[in-house]
Amino acid sequence: MSARLVMKLRVAEVTKLTPEITGFRFVHPRRPRLPEWTAGAHVDVHLPDGAVRQYSLCGDPGDRSSYRIAVKREDGGRGGSAWLHAHAAADMEIPVSAPRNHFHIETREGRHVLIAGGIGVTPLLALARVFARENRDFAFHYCIRHPHKAAFVDELRELCGDRLTLWVSDEGAMLDPLALMDAERGAQLVVCGPAPLTDAIEAAADQVGWPLEAYHTERFTALSDAGFEPESFQAVIASTGTELDVPADRSLLSVLAENGIELDSSCEIGVCGSCECGYLKGDVIHRDVVLGPKAQRTRLMPCVSRAAGKVVLDL
């Protein structure tokens, strides 16, 4: 597996978007253009302690002069957002990877309905920029607590016009997923936000039988492991025939590394997509929040995914 390009980018701008969310704009210190990207992509930000964190790009994919991210401070998180809020400042150089997209939306003809909640607005903002520029048929539903506590409200109003609907919970306005789906049958549904929102939309989609190929979602938090009991299984390396035993209390990723097969990794909770690899055969138990139903047929995340019995890895 080829390593991703990592560049030392300069922080060109730091913007306080809300009391909890700060925007950062990165530029290359010597080159006018950065690697291209598509709406839904994220970059890896490498922190001084060696940690790597993923943040969705929220700028314009057509503008390669800079990368924009927005980071919500999570005081109970893993430390990445807290470090950026406390230490990242203008003119500082920070290692940032080339973009990668696990949330690529094929912008098919027809209507698209974008549903964002909280910081989940970031990848959908980039998608809305593309749709607005191309004069596509779309609607943007933004679920927030209060307009002054949500990022990009004014920018979305200017960008989307009457295609934007704000659902402000502090004012008693809550999105009804079933009513929305009833009104938007035939559209492509694109969802990103916290678990309560994505879970509610997904449950409604299951209830009405929304087509899988018309449903796209991205989650920022790992799946809950409540009730899940991992079991041991066997992994076969297709290129060599090597058979590896994966105990119930260890990940496939760690067993591969122990046997000299090093894959990129970062979060190790099934969120970032760094360790993705292919498989050729097996009953895989997918525990990530990255891969969609189509990709799950041939791809898995070895940091969290397991198998029933045996899996043959395309390695």
Side-chain angles (χ1 to χ4, degrees), residues 218-301:
E218 182 173 50
R219 297 169 180 261
F220 289 156
T221 56
L223 287 178
S224 169
D225 280 332
F228 176 69
E229 296 184 6
E231 297 183 359
S232 61
F233 65 98
Q234 194 171 59
V236 180
I237 310 304
S239 61
T240 63
T242 302
E243 298 184 355
L244 304 175
D245 292 321
V246 183
D249 61 349
R250 293 190 60 192
S251 70
L252 172 57
L253 181 68
S254 68
V255 171
L256 289 172
E258 185 180 74
N259 287 272
I261 303 174
E262 296 282 352
L263 300 179
D264 288 342
S265 64
S266 176
C267 72
E268 299 192 14
I269 57 173
V271 173
C272 75
S274 297
C275 63
E276 177 183 347
C277 71
Y279 71 97
L280 304 175
K281 188 185 300 183
D283 183 7
V284 174
I285 303 168
H286 294 281
R287 300 295 299 161
D288 67 276
V289 295
V290 178
L291 299 173
K294 183 177 180 180
Q296 287 179 347
R297 298 170 190 165
T298 59
R299 312 294 291 177
L300 60 81
M301 297 297 173

Side-chain angles (χ1 to χ4, degrees), residues 114-138:
L114 315 183
I115 306 172
I119 199 61
V121 69
T122 49
L124 300 194
L125 174 58
L127 189 59
R129 295 186 199 280
V130 175
F131 285 170
R133 182 169 57 246
E134 297 178 353
N135 198 28
R136 302 291 295 272
D137 179 16
F138 76 98

Side-chain angles (χ1 to χ4, degrees), residues 16 21 135 143 258:
K16 197 72 173 175
I21 301 174
N135 198 28
C143 302
E258 185 180 74

